[in-house]
Amino acid sequence: QVQFVESGGGLVQPGGSLRLTCAASGNILSWYVMAWYRQAPGKLRELVARITGDGRTGYVDSVKGRFTISRDNAKNTVYLQMNSLKPEDTAVYYCNLVGAVSGWGQGTQVTVSS
C-alpha cells in the first residue's frame, strides 16, 4: 500500500500561513484523486481540498480563496498552502486518496491561536 507522511504543521497566529507537505512512499499515479482532510477534536473528518491527476482542484467553501492544493506526481508529493489562517482551521491535517477508508497516516497538527 501507498503510505503517506504529512509534515509542515505547527502553531501560527490568526492571519498567518503554513505550507503542508504530503510525501508518499510509492508512486502516485496521475489518475489518483488526492485530498487533504482535517479533523478537529470531537468533530468528523472533513475533506477540505482535492486535486485530480491533471490538476483540477476543489475546495470546501470555508477554505476557498485561502487554501491552495497542488501536486507533483514526479515527486510523489502533494502540498497544501494555507493562508489567512483562522482559529477554526485548527485540526490535525491528513492527506489520502479521495474516498479512502484506510491508509491514514499520523497527520500533522495545525494550531491557529493568538
Side-chain angles (χ1 to χ4, degrees):
Q1 287 187 335
V2 175
Q3 295 180 314
F4 302 103
V5 179
E6 300 91 347
S7 62
L11 175 64
V12 64
Q13 292 183 303
S17 298
L18 286 172
R19 186 190 186 218
L20 306 184
T21 298
C22 170
S25 62
N27 293 333
I28 301 176
L29 301 180
S30 62
W31 49 267
Y32 281 131
V33 182
M34 296 295 301
W36 282 96
Y37 301 79
R38 67 186 181 188
Q39 187 168 28
K43 296 184 178 180
L44 296 174
R45 186 173 57 233
E46 174 189 32
L47 190 153
V48 298
R50 57 184 282 164
I51 184 167
T52 66
D54 60 355
R56 290 178 287 117
T57 60
Y59 304 90
V60 68
D61 285 345
S62 61
V63 309
K64 284 183 178 178
R66 301 189 297 118
F67 290 11
T68 302
I69 187 171
S70 61
R71 69 192 294 167
D72 187 335
N73 290 333
K75 296 181 179 180
N76 299 315
T77 304
V78 183
Y79 306 94
L80 185 68
Q81 178 66 47
M82 305 186 296
N83 299 323
S84 302
L85 283 162
K86 303 175 180 179
E88 52 262 46
D89 296 319
T90 296
V92 178
Y93 284 72
Y94 304 88
C95 66
N96 212 331
L97 306 177
V98 168
V101 297
S102 63
W104 300 98
Q106 293 184 331
T108 186
Q109 176 72 49
V110 172
T111 302
V112 185
S113 176
S114 60

